[in-house]
Amino acid sequence: MKTISPKDLNNLQLQTLLQTAIAPRPIALASTIDAEGNVNLSPFSFFNLFSSNPPVVIFSPARRVRDNTTKHTLENVLEVPEVVIGIVNYPIVQQISLASTEYGKSVNEFVKSGLTMKDAALIRPKIIEECPVNFECKVLEIKHLGTEGGAGNLVICEIIKIHLHEKYLNDEGSLDQIKLDLVARLGGNWYARNNKSNLFEVPKPLVTKGIGFDLLPNEIKYSKIFTGNDLGMLANIEQLPEGNFTVDENLHGEAQKLLQGNNIEKAWETLIL
Ligand SMILES: Cc1cc2nc3c(=O)[nH]c(=O)nc-3n(C[C@H](O)[C@H](O)[C@H](O)COP(=O)(O)O)c2cc1C
């Protein structure tokens, strides 16, 4: 294993390593205004949900590594503590990338990126019409993490209004994860797309508690066939079935196929002698 102390890397190397490893990250498209009412729109992938009651999200416009300057978005929320956060999906990924261009302070990135402004219900910054979800937020607190290039500024926001585009809802009126087709940022120029071709579900562990890896029989735990994922599924049963367990690799292969179809009970049946 290669071991590194953050101090051994320069700012750019450290930023690249962190953004490559801590990925994929959701993207907030932040719509803000300054005290004069100038509009700004920029994407931020240092972003996530941290509380649902109260509903709190945080994003971080960092000081530029290049020259330690601050971003218009940060200056704006310091002047007007309100922000609309639009969620980014595949149909607008090129436009949000364009919106990240470092235009001058008076330039409206809605116009530059071809995205559409709509009045928000409760705050002054504009909603982004094309985003599948828009959150109107009031800024609760801004926490500066340092004074050097690369230092983050946590913009801690409470969601006070939510707008959902109908076309991303399912028949029950809830957001549909597949229809959303969300994109996320990784290291360098990499993005991830989350659609039908690569989304998968992992059922939550049993509420009643699975037996765990340590209680798997050795015949199964030390099989050359099973992967860590297979064993993780097998360990998610409430009680180890009675009986002796096969070391037959063909049967282990059959059980593996059943696990791929989420059929844990049947997989265990295959493994009992
Ligand atoms: C997908 C994406 C994610 C980004 N995430 C961040 C981020 O989390 N923090 C940051 O400081 N800059 C981030 N940037 C760069 C900013 O969007 C860029 O510096 C922008 O020009 C800032 O605009 P502003 O000065 O108008 O606020 C990101 C760019 C892209 C394309």
Side-chain angles (χ1 to χ4, degrees), residues 3-223:
T3 305
I4 300 169
S5 161
K7 300 224 170 339
D8 296 340
L9 302 178
N10 68 35
N11 281 352
L12 191 59
Q13 288 168 325
L14 183 57
Q15 186 189 41
T16 305
L17 183 155
L18 294 174
Q19 292 186 183
T20 305
I22 302 175
R25 299 178 302 282
I27 303 170
L29 188 54
S31 162
T32 56
I33 59 165
D34 67 11
E36 275 79 57
N38 291 308
V39 167
N40 195 88
L41 186 69
S42 303
F44 295 96
S45 68
F46 294 175
F47 163 61
N48 223 307
L49 166 69
F50 289 90
S51 167
S52 57
N53 182 22
V56 173
V57 294
I58 301 179
F59 71 98
S60 175
R63 302 180 75 93
R64 289 190 180 85
V65 168
R66 189 178 65 238
D67 56 9
N68 195 16
T69 52
T70 53
K71 305 207 170 170
H72 297 145
T73 303
L74 176 65
E75 293 157 17
N76 287 359
V77 288
L78 286 165
E79 285 177 24
V80 178
E82 298 175 340
V83 55
V84 171
I85 293 182
I87 296 300
V88 173
N89 67 354
Y90 187 74
I92 57 169
V93 68
Q94 296 292 344
Q95 285 170 285
I96 69 98
S97 172
L98 192 56
S100 78
T101 308
E102 290 176 6
Y103 294 113
K105 188 150 168 57
S106 59
V107 174
N108 177 346
E109 287 95 355
F110 274 96
V111 175
K112 287 289 173 200
S113 62
L115 293 166
T116 315
M117 293 189 284
K118 243 182 88 178
D119 284 342
L122 303 175
I123 59 174
R124 283 161 286 175
K126 302 292 182 186
I127 281 174
I128 310 121
E129 168 73 29
E130 290 80 0
C131 285
V133 181
N134 276 274
F135 296 113
E136 293 186 32
C137 305
K138 62 176 187 205
V139 175
L140 299 176
E141 190 186 334
I142 298 175
K143 174 139 183 69
H144 306 288
L145 298 179
T147 53
E148 302 297 316
N153 298 283
L154 304 185
V155 182
I156 305 173
C157 310
E158 180 169 351
I159 297 170
I160 54 172
K161 192 68 116 189
I162 303 170
H163 306 270
L164 309 176
H165 254 297
E166 276 85 2
K167 69 172 166 179
Y168 298 106
L169 304 181
N170 60 24
D171 293 341
E172 288 82 52
S174 310
L175 274 178
D176 184 311
Q177 194 67 79
I178 290 180
K179 282 188 192 164
L180 274 171
D181 200 358
L182 298 178
V183 289
R185 187 87 192 268
L186 295 91
N189 290 336
W190 292 104
Y191 285 73
R193 185 175 181 180
N194 294 281
N195 64 7
K196 218 192 274 182
S197 71
N198 59 6
L199 284 174
F200 62 96
E201 293 184 84
V202 176
K204 287 193 184 71
L206 293 174
V207 182
T208 47
K209 295 190 182 77
I211 58 167
F213 227 82
D214 52 323
L215 295 188
L216 287 171
N218 288 346
E219 294 86 341
I220 289 164
K221 195 162 37 177
Y222 299 116
S223 160

Side-chain angles (χ1 to χ4, degrees), residues 256-268:
Q256 187 174 51
K257 285 201 195 95
L258 288 162
L259 291 173
Q260 281 156 6
N262 268 335
N263 209 336
I264 302 176
E265 298 284 323
K266 275 259 172 306
W268 270 112

